[in-house]
Amino acid sequence: MVLTLRDVSLSLMGNAGPVDILHDITLDVAVKETLGLVGPSGSGKSSLLMLMGGLERATGGSVDALGHDLTAMDEDALARFRREHMGVVFQSFHLIPTMTALENVATPLELAGARDAFDRAAAELDAVGLGHRTDHYPSQMSGGEQQRVALARAAAPRPDILLADEPTGNLDAATGGQIMDLLFGLRDRHGATLILVTHSRELAERCDRTIRLVDGRLDAGHGDLRVTDAAATGQAHPAVDAAE
Amino acid sequence: MTWVRDAARIAKRELRGGLAGFRIFLACLALGVAAIAAVGSVRVSITEGLQREGRTILGGDAEVQFEYRFADAEERAILASVFTGVSEIVDFRSMVATGDGLEAERALTQVKAVDQTYPLVGQVELDPPIPLSEALAGDRLVIHPILADRLGLSVGDPLWLGAKRFEIGALILREPDVSAQGFGLGPRTMVRTAALDGTGLLAPGSLFDTEYRLTLPEGTTDETLDAARAVIEPELEGTTARWRDRRNASPQIERFVDRIGSFLVLVGLAGLAVGGVGVSAAVRAYLDRKIPVIATLKTLGAEGRTIFAAYLIQIAVLAALGIVIGVVLGTLIPLAAYPFIQAQLPVPVELGLHAAPLAEAALYGALTALLFTLWPLARTERVRAASLFRDASGPIRVLPRIRYIVALAVLAALLVGLSAWLSGIPTLALASAGGIAVALAILIAAAWGVRRLCRRLATTRWARGKPALRTALGSIGGPGGEATAVVLSLGLGLTVLASVGQIDANMRAAIDRDLPQIAPSYFFIDIQPDQIDRFRETVISDPEVTRVDTAPMLGGVVRSLADRSAETYDHWVTRGDRRVSYADAMPAGTRLTAGEWWPSDYDGPPQVSFAQEEADELGLALGDEVTLSILGRDLTATITSFREVDFASGGIGFVMVFDANALRGAPHTWLATVYASPEAEGRILRQVAVDAPNVTAIRVRDAIALVTEALGALAAATSWGAGATLLTGFVVLIGAAAAGERARVFEAAVLKTVGATRSTILSSFALRSALLGAAAGVVAIAGGAIAGWAVMTFVMEAPFTFEPLSAIVIVLGGASATLLAGLAFAWRPLAARPAQVLRGRD
């Protein structure tokens, strides 16, 4: 397994006191699997993705990635782990505004000590069709272009796990489609495990498996079903339908 | 005018949001106003103290002063007929000695010889506490404790003044009229004028002045005083006697306080300019946040002027609050610092509430606030309703309408004009305003340069593979950084400090290090004509003496130059008494720049050779006439040549040298400069004193020490001013760091996501802060060096050497300040969980 979650729960401190976000999530993700996380807004999909990336710390249970217990690691150990094994793509791209496209993509490679960070970053930008915009700042690019840079940044270190949080949420349908193609293309090329949060049925349908969250819990009736099964019968998965 | 009412209503609603985001705005304005208000209040307090205590400080209601002579019987009779009290004081420099042989210790002293009526006003406090009449009875004198310490003497010990032995009657603890007398090179010795008989001092041609202190019955009005003056002045017309009264008791202190006060107000304005940078940044950030609100208001039908007025009203209310805080602080700071201020001043100061300086500070504050906020305010008119439907988060990047640009120019002119008028030193004020404007322009250019350089460096191969450095360089060079605000705010304060550092270090170097190498060891004054030959023999015979220059010297007062009365000139040559010399043949080493020297044994109408530079400053030409009053007689001579005179070398230098025939007959003494090794100085002094006890020796090293001390005080005062500017700069820096915190929180979250550890992120933050601070420091050093060079070259006319020590301190100081401010705001970005930060922005 690439990822193993056991009885994971998450509570965050809100203005009115602690808020329970996730309850007793138990989940396994296989190597090179593509997993879609679906569910209504506020169901905890993104929080679960953040826990998997070590960007959020579980308040209960354990999160094991590639044989490492993420809940036992400190902030810096988690950063080093992500540097070597994970790439993350966000809905709002989250590029560093003071860096050019090339610098944004090169940063994780530099942090990992890659001597050819900039050459690899340039190649990665080429791969997403932005070889001509390497010196542009995020503010000089469209949303679609920014997301492509974010994809290149996530994929550049050849991560074992790619995490994507609604990567097409801020984009129009056509651009979103291009991004999806790129994302799956990268995944296929690098052979990474892809976990993505999405509201898009099309995107969910392209996953090997989807799981649905409702109120911070796995939807027992629909969890762990293969979309490919649903695709074979020519019907949309009910969990995906409910998510839209 | 409904739009004004609408604007007021909008402003009121917007202000309900509280002062969050305006703390830096308020702090910057309050600090600047407080500094100016405090300096102004102290200045007025001192000036009022001088006015109030004028009678005590002067030692009478009025004073008539004569140069190099006593009032004659007729003049005394006139004074006595008008005033109820008359007291005669003789003031001159001399030497005191512990004995009369070669073993005796000697020291320079400022002698004040008084009559039985002294002091007419106030009391002399002595140790032991006995009446002055008792302490001066017989052949006794009183001395300042410093003099007693210097010579290792105490009350009852013998002390030689000139050729006469006295006994120390007491030590002077307080002299009521000490501030009225000018700058003295030596500590005070007080003696009865009658007891000077037998000292050999006050011989014809000696340099001394007499002051007649005059009193009217206590409580006399200024009108009565003016009436008395009206009686006296016609009687004294034609003499060089100078009138001074209680309303102008200590012009030197008053002038000094006035000048330094005005100067510090100008430094305060520099502080306000730095504050203006912070004010402007705060308002810009506020208005950028308000773009959606402005766009919404426009969608709802608000006109541009309504929007402008609404935000102008808000800024005006906040500015008024900042100014009030500043004025209150400016009133309280001097009260808190009262003991320190009083200790620095020789006159009593009563601190109180003075409306004028507070109003002045408030006015400067209001103008500065308006000047620095009008630009961002004016741009609100240009916000389009369509901003709502596009990305409204970006800052406003359009030029304001032309009328606002004109208004800005008018405001700037008003501020500069006001400071020129109110400071009373328009030239310096205009120069300072120009300096601040140029400095701001240079700093803006420098900030742009720093950003370009960092941008360039970030993309070089050298920076690759060093993510902390590259992200630091990228954040300085990239869009939307803090570089401009930091370089501007810190740079201006550091530039002022660097200028002071360079000028002070160069002046000290010129005086402490360079001058003693070219200056003589001693000036000997009051050498009588019959002593000069023997004097020369004595000093030349010493093997350590390398050079002796002598010249006859007379004291005179310039009456007119080129047919214009001396009073119409504002130049040091025409103020007070002027020492002049005469010569027959042209003295060795003289370099004429125009005209010709008179022939040997010339006995025609009087001729004078004038110093070229001073003649240029006074606008004199060959053939112009100079009238000088010497011992009550006027001498008119024609300028027939100009000479080069180097006053900076510390040697003998006279502005005017007359032909020998014109002055040889007048009573005069000789001046000598002796150049010798420091080891020989003590021996030469003893030898000269044995031969001629009346001769006064001024050790150049002591005079230099006094000048250095005065310079130190001036530099310290300026440094305090620069310190206030720096403090404001630091507040702006904190503001910039606080404003950038959100961006850094985000950056840290993204960097953590892509694998950066906290130490990498902290290094990047620390590097960018230190780099920016160091850059501001380097710019400041360049500015300081240029200012230092300009002042040394054009004002001091001395060579300029770059002084590295103060420069290093300034770069390190700049880097530390930004590092401190940066690190203070690094904690949150480092501690924040990436998920919370990044999801919050989705």
Side-chain angles (χ1 to χ4, degrees):
Chain A
M1 287 296 135
V2 173
L3 274 162
T4 307
L5 281 73
R6 291 285 172 269
D7 302 323
V8 171
S9 57
L10 175 69
S11 294
L12 294 176
M13 193 52 74
N15 289 334
V19 182
D20 294 331
I21 310 287
L22 296 171
H23 308 268
D24 306 323
I25 306 277
T26 295
L27 181 68
D28 291 315
V29 183
V31 176
K32 297 190 181 175
E33 186 183 3
T34 306
L35 176 68
L37 297 179
V38 297
S41 296
S43 60
K45 308 181 293 293
S46 292
S47 297
L48 182 59
L49 193 79
M50 296 292 141
L51 282 179
M52 291 173 175
L55 296 164
E56 188 67 88
R57 194 174 290 273
T59 42
S62 67
V63 180
D64 188 288
L66 297 165
H68 295 83
D69 181 5
L70 299 190
T71 50
M73 290 185 190
D74 72 4
E75 194 88 343
D76 290 339
L78 285 169
R80 280 190 289 270
F81 184 78
R82 278 192 297 272
R83 176 197 291 178
E84 281 154 25
H85 304 291
M86 285 181 177
V88 189
V89 181
F90 298 92
Q91 181 181 352
S92 295
F93 332 129
H94 291 332
L95 300 176
I96 296 176
T98 53
M99 290 186 192
T100 60
L102 183 66
E103 289 166 349
N104 263 292
V105 178
T107 300
L109 295 166
E110 280 187 301
L111 288 166
R115 287 180 175 276
D116 55 350
F118 278 77
D119 294 338
R120 282 171 59 186
E124 210 64 47
L125 279 171
D126 244 351
V128 297
L130 286 177
H132 60 297
R133 312 227 33 191
T134 52
D135 290 336
H136 286 75
Y137 285 99
S139 57
Q140 297 167 318
M141 289 190 270
S142 69
E145 286 171 330
Q146 290 190 52
Q147 193 61 301
R148 279 195 270 167
V149 176
L151 280 179
R153 183 176 68 183
R158 306 277 187 274
D160 299 305
I161 305 166
L162 261 175
L163 303 171
D165 187 7
E166 297 187 50
T168 59
N170 274 0
L171 303 171
D172 61 61
T175 314
Q178 290 168 13
I179 293 296
M180 258 165 49
D181 291 343
L182 276 171
L183 183 62
F184 279 88
L186 285 170
R187 176 219 165 265
D188 293 342
R189 224 174 39 243
H190 301 322
T193 302
L194 172 64
I195 302 161
L196 64 93
V197 170
T198 183
H199 281 294
S200 156
R201 181 164 62 179
E202 276 178 291
L203 202 47
E205 281 175 351
R206 292 177 70 167
C207 297
D208 299 335
R209 181 167 62 122
T210 61
I211 55 167
R212 186 167 189 269
L213 270 91
V214 177
D215 291 335
R217 295 174 200 277
L218 286 179
D219 187 348
H222 302 285
D224 210 9
L225 287 175
R226 301 230 167 229
V227 172
T228 42
D229 296 342
T233 60
Q235 289 176 344
H237 193 279
V240 176
D241 287 337
E244 290 184 9
Chain B
M1 296 293 270
T2 53
W3 62 275
V4 176
R5 274 204 305 278
D6 292 341
R9 266 200 303 273
I10 295 169
K12 194 175 155 196
R13 286 176 201 144
E14 288 268 64
L15 279 170
R16 282 194 305 229
L19 299 176
F22 280 100
R23 290 191 195 98
I24 299 296
F25 175 100
L26 291 174
C28 286
L29 204 54
L31 269 177
V33 171
I36 294 176
V39 169
S41 292
V42 172
R43 176 168 66 163
V44 172
S45 297
I46 296 173
T47 313
E48 280 192 356
L50 290 173
Q51 299 280 338
R52 198 176 44 243
E53 301 291 326
R55 193 168 188 262
T56 314
I57 293 168
L58 184 62
D61 290 297
E63 178 197 270
V64 172
Q65 185 184 353
F66 295 87
E67 306 282 355
Y68 318 122
R69 71 177 182 95
F70 288 87
D72 59 28
E74 198 181 327
E75 288 162 342
R76 279 173 214 250
I78 294 161
L79 293 177
S81 69
V82 178
F83 290 92
T84 48
V86 179
S87 169
E88 181 192 77
I89 293 165
V90 189
D91 195 84
F92 58 98
R93 267 196 292 268
S94 190
M95 306 292 286
V96 284
T98 55
D100 60 350
L102 277 170
E103 301 306 312
E105 287 292 324
R106 288 179 169 74
L108 185 69
T109 181
Q110 193 74 28
V111 180
K112 181 173 185 173
V114 298
D115 60 12
Q116 297 288 346
T117 56
Y118 176 86
L120 290 173
V121 181
Q123 290 295 321
V124 178
E125 283 175 28
L126 299 171
D127 174 26
I130 54 171
L132 184 66
S133 54
E134 190 185 326
L136 294 181
D139 286 339
R140 293 164 85 191
L141 45 69
V142 293
I143 59 174
H144 195 278
I146 288 178
L147 193 57
D149 279 352
R150 201 170 285 172
L151 295 171
L153 298 172
S154 50
V155 175
D157 287 341
L159 184 66
W160 289 73
L161 177 62
K164 186 170 172 180
R165 184 178 182 274
F166 285 83
E167 182 192 314
I168 301 171
L171 301 181
I172 306 168
L173 295 182
R174 207 176 83 82
E175 201 184 325
D177 52 347
V178 71
S179 315
Q181 270 142 349
F183 178 72
L185 273 177
R188 174 73 76 213
T189 294
M190 203 184 288
V191 64
R192 288 272 182 244
T193 312
L196 289 177
D197 283 346
T199 56
L201 306 174
L202 300 189
S206 295
L207 300 175
F208 68 96
D209 60 43
T210 55
E211 295 148 17
Y212 292 85
R213 300 278 164 76
L214 311 160
T215 49
L216 290 166
E218 206 157 338
T220 306
T221 60
D222 286 346
E223 288 72 34
T224 316
L225 191 58
D226 284 332
R229 182 179 186 176
V231 175
I232 298 287
E233 274 194 333
E235 300 291 340
L236 296 175
E237 194 156 2
T239 72
T240 56
R242 279 198 297 241
W243 167 277
R244 187 148 65 119
D245 64 44
R246 64 190 184 204
R247 290 165 293 188
N248 183 23
S250 186
Q252 278 146 329
I253 293 180
E254 210 167 323
R255 198 160 50 226
F256 178 75
V257 167
D258 226 38
R259 284 287 159 98
I260 200 128
S262 301
F263 179 63
L264 284 178
V265 165
L266 293 180
V267 176
L269 279 176
L272 210 47
V274 174
V277 174
V279 162
S280 178
V283 170
R284 200 171 301 136
Y286 175 70
L287 293 175
D288 281 345
R289 285 200 303 276
K290 288 289 174 187
I291 291 175
V293 177
I294 297 169
T296 307
L297 287 169
K298 286 218 166 168
T299 312
L300 298 174
E303 292 172 80
R305 61 182 179 180
T306 311
I307 308 263
F308 172 78
Y311 286 96
L312 179 66
I313 291 168
Q314 293 177 53
I315 301 302
V317 169
L318 290 163
L321 181 62
I323 290 168
V324 168
I325 296 172
V327 165
V328 170
L329 279 177
T331 313
L332 295 178
I333 291 168
L335 292 175
Y338 178 75
F340 173 77
I341 296 167
Q342 182 62 77
Q344 303 294 311
L345 292 165
V347 289
V349 181
E350 234 176 77
L351 292 170
L353 207 61
H354 302 287
L358 299 182
E360 185 183 336
L363 194 57
Y364 284 141
L367 280 174
T368 308
L370 202 53
L371 187 66
F372 281 91
T373 55
L374 197 57
W375 184 276
L377 273 175
R379 293 198 301 196
T380 56
E381 275 202 0
R382 294 280 177 115
V383 174
R384 291 168 189 275
S387 305
L388 267 185
F389 311 111
R390 289 199 297 269
D391 181 17
S393 59
I396 316 171
R397 293 263 176 270
V398 283
L399 277 182
R401 287 180 207 281
I402 188 76
R403 61 167 179 263
Y404 294 115
I405 296 175
V406 172
L408 272 175
V410 171
L411 272 174
L414 201 63
L415 185 62
V416 172
L418 202 68
S419 65
W421 177 50
L422 289 176
S423 68
I425 37 175
T427 321
L428 186 59
L430 290 175
S432 304
I436 292 170
V438 169
L440 282 176
I442 290 174
L443 286 167
I444 288 170
W448 180 82
V450 166
R451 290 179 60 175
R452 291 279 300 189
L453 182 68
C454 288
R455 179 73 247 124
R456 181 66 61 86
L457 286 175
T459 55
T460 53
R461 297 210 160 267
W462 169 74
R464 291 182 177 179
K466 304 181 182 88
L469 177 66
R470 198 173 55 71
T471 48
L473 290 171
S475 79
I476 296 171
E482 303 154 21
T484 310
V486 169
V487 171
L488 267 185
S489 57
L490 197 63
L492 198 56
L494 286 179
T495 304
V496 176
L497 209 60
S499 308
V500 174
Q502 289 295 331
I503 295 166
D504 186 48
N506 268 281
M507 291 288 285
R508 277 173 195 281
I511 291 168
D512 282 352
R513 194 179 61 207
D514 304 340
L515 189 60
Q517 298 190 2
I518 50 165
S521 305
Y522 277 109
F523 270 83
F524 287 98
I525 58 171
D526 286 341
I527 307 169
Q528 292 299 316
D530 59 0
Q531 294 173 319
I532 187 68
D533 293 335
R534 173 103 181 93
F535 172 87
R536 270 202 208 98
E537 278 168 31
T538 308
V539 290
I540 289 171
S541 65
D542 191 301
E544 294 286 335
V545 171
T546 53
R547 182 175 149 195
V548 180
D549 294 336
T550 57
M553 181 163 77
L554 301 90
V557 175
V558 179
R559 309 271 288 176
S560 70
L561 286 173
D563 299 326
R564 262 176 67 190
S565 157
E567 284 118 48
T568 61
Y569 290 90
D570 182 19
H571 195 275
W572 63 270
V573 167
T574 57
R575 273 196 292 268
D577 57 311
R578 177 100 348 265
R579 279 102 205 246
V580 298
S581 186
Y582 66 80
D584 189 15
M586 189 160 78
T590 306
R591 213 177 79 74
L592 289 189
T593 51
E596 279 179 23
W597 196 264
W598 42 85
S600 203
D601 296 328
Y602 171 78
D603 63 353
Q607 293 190 15
V608 61
S609 177
F610 214 96
Q612 177 73 61
E613 195 178 327
E614 283 64 30
D616 286 344
E617 288 163 3
L618 290 160
L620 300 178
L622 289 179
D624 282 342
E625 286 191 335
V626 175
T627 302
L628 209 68
S629 170
I630 294 173
L631 294 173
R633 283 176 52 195
D634 282 357
L635 167 74
T636 299
T638 307
I639 301 174
T640 51
S641 65
F642 290 129
R643 283 167 302 125
E644 238 179 33
V645 182
D646 181 13
F647 292 103
S649 68
I652 292 181
F654 288 100
V655 176
M656 287 170 271
V657 175
F658 291 80
D659 74 86
N661 191 50
L663 285 174
R664 195 179 293 148
H668 63 270
T669 56
W670 283 73
L671 165 74
T673 52
V674 175
Y675 297 76
S677 62
E679 299 75 46
E681 284 178 3
R683 188 171 62 233
I684 295 165
L685 179 64
R686 282 192 289 275
Q687 281 168 346
V688 170
V690 168
D691 286 347
N694 61 302
V695 169
T696 301
I698 298 166
R699 193 161 163 261
V700 172
R701 258 171 241 286
D702 295 340
I704 287 172
L706 273 176
V707 174
T708 313
E709 201 179 307
L711 267 179
L714 201 66
T718 319
S719 297
W720 277 101
T725 309
L726 263 186
L727 183 65
T728 313
F730 195 64
V731 170
V732 178
L733 205 62
I734 298 276
E741 193 186 38
R742 212 173 111 81
R744 276 194 296 273
V745 166
F746 169 71
E747 195 182 317
V750 175
L751 286 171
K752 280 182 189 175
T753 305
V754 298
T757 58
R758 282 171 297 185
S759 62
T760 307
I761 298 169
L762 184 64
S763 312
S764 168
F765 288 174
L767 264 172
R768 75 186 65 177
S769 296
L771 280 174
L772 268 183
V778 169
V779 174
I781 287 166
I786 293 170
W789 167 80
V791 169
M792 290 309 289
T793 308
F794 301 113
V795 182
M796 301 297 167
E797 297 182 6
F800 172 75
T801 324
F802 181 72
E803 296 290 335
L805 187 66
S806 77
I808 290 167
V809 170
I810 280 162
V811 174
L812 288 180
S816 318
T818 42
L819 195 60
L820 214 64
L823 292 183
F825 288 89
W827 184 83
R828 238 168 61 83
L830 285 178
R833 294 253 177 84
Q836 290 167 18
V837 176
L838 300 175
R839 291 196 55 203
R841 290 172 74 120
D842 275 337

